[in-house]
Amino acid sequence: MFVLTACGNSSNNQSTETKDGKTKITWLNILHTPSPPTDTIVDLIEEKTNTELTFNWIPDASKEERLTTALASNELGDIVTLQIAMLKNSSVRNALKSGVFWDVSNYLSDYKNLSKISEDRINAAKIDGALYGVPVQKDYARAGLVIRKDWLDNLGLEVPTTLEELYEVAKQFTENDPDGNGVDDTVGFGDRAPSDIRYTSFKLFTSYFGAPNGWSVDENGKFTPEFDTKEYMKALNYSRELYKNGYLSQDFAVTQKTDQQEQFAQGKTGIYTGMIDIKNLKTMGRGIQDEMKLVPVNKISDGKDGKYHVWSEGNGVGGLLAFPKSSVKDEAHLKKLLQFVDDLLEEDVYKLMTGGVEGKHYEIQEDGAIKYIDMDLWQQDVQPLSSSRPSEITFSFKDADPEKELANQLVKENADFAVLDPTVPLDSEKNNEVGSEIEKIVIDATVQYIMGQIDEAGFKKAVAEWKAQGGDQITKEYEAAYKAAQK
């Protein structure tokens, strides 16, 4: 089912159109579900876009290996889905920079929907000033908290809006029996192992204190990593106090995401990092914490200037839909493919790839919220295609769960104060080579500092080690790439 076929052949050796004028398209795409979609929605997409589609699916678990093989054998199809994480893969990065794919920078303005992609997203998706595909549009920032609203009510507390208030909530949730069971069995903050520190409570704290997202760049083009700023140190001290007093899970360093969710659903913790998981948390709590009431929170200030900050993942870009020159031989063919992607952004097509067919897969209730009629059928026909949408922001159904719908709206609101990472569109050979490896030096030191195992001097020593093992070179290369991009 998942064997890659020589999908480039349909473009190289045959006409790009069917006898009745439909554009033939092969799409090398990522599959996030156990099975590919049925033809139900695919047939409707073909009808609405006047195309004949052939999907070649790569399972998500082996996407980098399969894509590397496809690049080496030049079997790529007309459209290739490159997820944001894949853009850091050295083989993919080199292929992009060496001209394997079309630069579409000068084409998007000619299309109704593609021309509306924000400048921030366009810039974030560029590599060395070139745009090697259509940016997959994502929300700028999805981060936020989920807090037990029933626990707040039990203790007479308000939803926190500052770091000081948040600390007090964590303290009261730990010390003041928020569930009223007379047992000392609750902790304020749950958390997870920081193998990827971006999804921990600590990363949110750095945002709340005003630290840069990954890197900062000043008016002179000087780059500074986030962990070499005073705001990062403030977040470290905040987390350290939470941990020392028992307001942060003492086993966070060895806790995985599913365990973190289970702890929350079982009533062991009262604050969860991951606003978009609110509906899943409620589902997990059924039969265990049926009285559980939750509130999503996206705005926490440092209490000084009243400003809000939240880190952005990928600067609103989830990857690229790229067009290989080996398959797409000329500009005329490219323009047909761009028209197809533009058509996928039309609301009716977008709804098909999100909800399916109204009356068959879903219905709209009186309050305007979506209700799925047959979830099994939706999972077979529609769900595998949802990750193929060129955008997650074009249109959204109202969620039937009011707390989830509120979280969705807060995610959109996050765009107003999202902090972008200036290095997303920049390239550093040294970072490609050792970036992930030496990042572990700082991650380990961050955890050790929070747990009280090292002091500030020990943390700064780790930062110095990061610089010596390649960090200084990475900084210089980002500065040079930034300077070149400004020309």
Side-chain angles (χ1 to χ4, degrees):
M1 181 182 299
F2 298 123
V3 175
L4 281 174
T5 59
C7 43
N9 293 343
S10 62
S11 294
N12 291 339
N13 302 325
Q14 301 177 19
S15 169
T16 60
E17 289 189 357
T18 64
K19 291 181 179 180
D20 54 357
K22 293 182 178 181
T23 301
K24 292 182 180 179
I25 297 175
T26 56
W27 188 346
L28 189 63
N29 211 342
I30 312 299
L31 186 67
H32 294 270
T33 54
S35 302
T38 64
D39 290 336
T40 302
I41 302 301
V42 176
D43 289 346
L44 292 172
I45 293 172
E46 288 179 326
E47 181 182 325
K48 288 183 176 293
T49 60
N50 196 36
T51 58
E52 181 181 282
L53 295 175
T54 300
F55 285 96
N56 290 298
W57 296 102
I58 300 176
D60 183 61
S62 58
K63 62 189 175 210
E64 296 207 12
E65 175 189 346
R66 295 292 185 90
L67 182 59
T68 300
T69 301
L71 283 167
S73 60
N74 216 19
E75 297 177 349
L76 293 166
D78 304 313
I79 303 175
V80 179
T81 297
L82 301 174
Q83 294 176 335
I84 189 70
M86 298 163 70
L87 298 181
K88 297 294 185 181
N89 177 287
S90 58
S91 297
V92 175
R93 196 87 173 174
N94 290 333
L96 290 165
K97 293 169 66 177
S98 63
V100 170
F101 298 95
W102 281 83
D103 181 351
V104 301
S105 303
N106 297 325
Y107 296 95
L108 301 192
S109 60
D110 297 333
Y111 298 87
K112 173 186 171 184
N113 298 308
L114 298 181
S115 63
K116 297 175 184 176
I117 300 175
S118 70
E119 185 176 352
D120 280 337
R121 291 186 173 93
I122 294 290
N123 290 335
K126 286 184 175 180
I127 296 174
D128 288 347
L131 185 64
Y132 295 112
V134 175
V136 176
Q137 300 172 77
K138 307 266 285 187
D139 287 298
Y140 279 109
R142 302 188 301 167
L145 300 170
V146 177
I147 302 179
R148 287 288 297 261
K149 180 65 168 60
D150 52 325
W151 286 12
L152 291 174
D153 293 342
N154 290 345
L155 299 175
L157 299 171
E158 298 294 326
V159 175
T161 60
T162 68
L163 281 161
E164 184 178 355
E165 292 173 357
L166 181 62
Y167 188 92
E168 183 62 23
V169 168
K171 176 182 179 180
Q172 295 297 324
F173 278 8
T174 306
E175 297 181 346
N176 214 7
D177 193 21
D179 57 3
N181 68 354
V183 181
D184 182 13
D185 60 354
T186 58
V187 173
F189 264 99
D191 213 342
R192 71 185 79 163
S195 53
D196 189 339
I197 208 164
R198 294 179 300 171
Y199 303 107
T200 64
S201 62
F202 175 74
K203 178 64 175 178
L204 260 183
F205 299 155
T206 66
S207 284
Y208 296 158
F209 276 108
N213 179 17
W215 294 77
S216 68
V217 55
D218 66 15
E219 64 276 7
N220 298 316
K222 177 178 171 56
F223 276 65
T224 303
E226 62 181 349
F227 46 79
D228 203 14
T229 64
K230 61 181 181 181
E231 292 84 5
Y232 193 95
M233 184 55 64
K234 288 180 180 178
L236 277 174
N237 287 324
Y238 186 85
S239 289
R240 188 183 177 105
E241 283 299 306
L242 284 170
Y243 182 83
K244 183 177 79 172
N245 290 299
Y247 310 152
L248 172 66
S249 293
Q250 300 295 287
D251 60 352
F252 81 93
V254 293
T255 300
Q256 300 304 311
K257 180 180 179 179
T258 52
D259 297 323
Q260 179 194 11
Q261 291 176 327
E262 287 175 1
Q263 289 171 0
F264 188 90
Q266 292 167 3
K268 296 178 180 178
T269 61
I271 308 172
Y272 175 88
T273 306
M275 189 166 61
I276 60 170
D277 291 336
I278 191 167
K279 191 171 184 176
N280 186 40
L281 293 171
K282 287 180 65 178
T283 300
M284 293 177 69
R286 286 177 189 157
I288 307 171
Q289 297 278 306
D290 288 329
E291 75 285 0
M292 183 167 64
K293 294 180 181 178
L294 308 179
V295 59
V297 178
N298 69 326
K299 290 180 176 178
I300 300 287
S301 76
D302 65 2
K304 295 180 180 179
D305 58 12
K307 293 183 179 179
Y308 302 110
H309 314 274
V310 63
W311 68 279
S312 172
E313 181 179 6
N315 294 7
V317 175
L320 293 172
L321 296 182
F323 311 96
K325 292 179 180 178
S326 59
S327 304
V328 185
K329 297 293 188 180
D330 53 44
E331 189 178 63
H333 189 193
L334 175 66
K335 289 182 175 180
K336 289 179 180 179
L337 297 172
L338 288 170
Q339 184 60 59
F340 166 71
V341 177
D342 193 76
D343 290 341
L344 293 183
L345 293 169
E346 288 293 323
E347 186 173 311
D348 57 344
V349 182
Y350 188 86
K351 284 182 176 179
L352 281 175
M353 298 178 76
T354 306
V357 178
E358 187 172 2
K360 180 177 182 179
H361 298 100
Y362 72 91
E363 59 186 15
I364 302 299
Q365 302 178 113
E366 289 186 6
D367 62 357
I370 187 173
K371 179 182 179 182
Y372 289 99
I373 297 171
D374 185 335
M375 186 57 72
D376 289 338
L377 185 63
W378 178 83
Q379 289 174 340
Q380 295 169 20
D381 295 345
V382 188
Q383 188 180 23
L385 288 166
S386 61
S387 60
S388 301
R389 297 171 300 178
S391 170
E392 292 184 4
I393 64 171
T394 300
F395 171 85
S396 60
F397 287 104
K398 180 180 178 181
D399 200 284
D401 184 307
E403 292 165 355
K404 173 60 174 173
E405 178 59 22
L406 176 56
N408 291 342
Q409 295 307 314
L410 295 184
V411 166
K412 296 182 185 303
E413 187 180 64
N414 277 351
D416 295 336
F417 44 89
V419 180
L420 306 187
D421 180 350
T423 67
V424 167
L426 304 179
D427 200 30
S428 161
E429 288 295 335
K430 192 65 174 179
N431 188 61
N432 296 340
E433 179 187 341
V434 302
S436 298
E437 179 183 341
I438 64 174
E439 182 186 33
K440 295 176 183 176
I441 298 171
V442 178
I443 292 176
D444 289 345
T446 295
V447 174
Q448 290 166 4
Y449 187 88
I450 291 171
M451 297 177 69
Q453 296 173 354
I454 60 173
D455 58 11
E456 184 171 344
F459 181 78
K460 291 187 179 300
K461 181 180 178 181
V463 173
E465 185 180 349
W466 174 87
K467 291 179 179 180
Q469 294 197 23
D472 277 338
Q473 183 64 29
I474 291 171
T475 304
K476 291 176 182 177
E477 289 178 0
Y478 276 144
E479 289 174 348
Y482 181 78
K483 184 177 180 180
Q486 303 306 303
K487 294 180 180 179

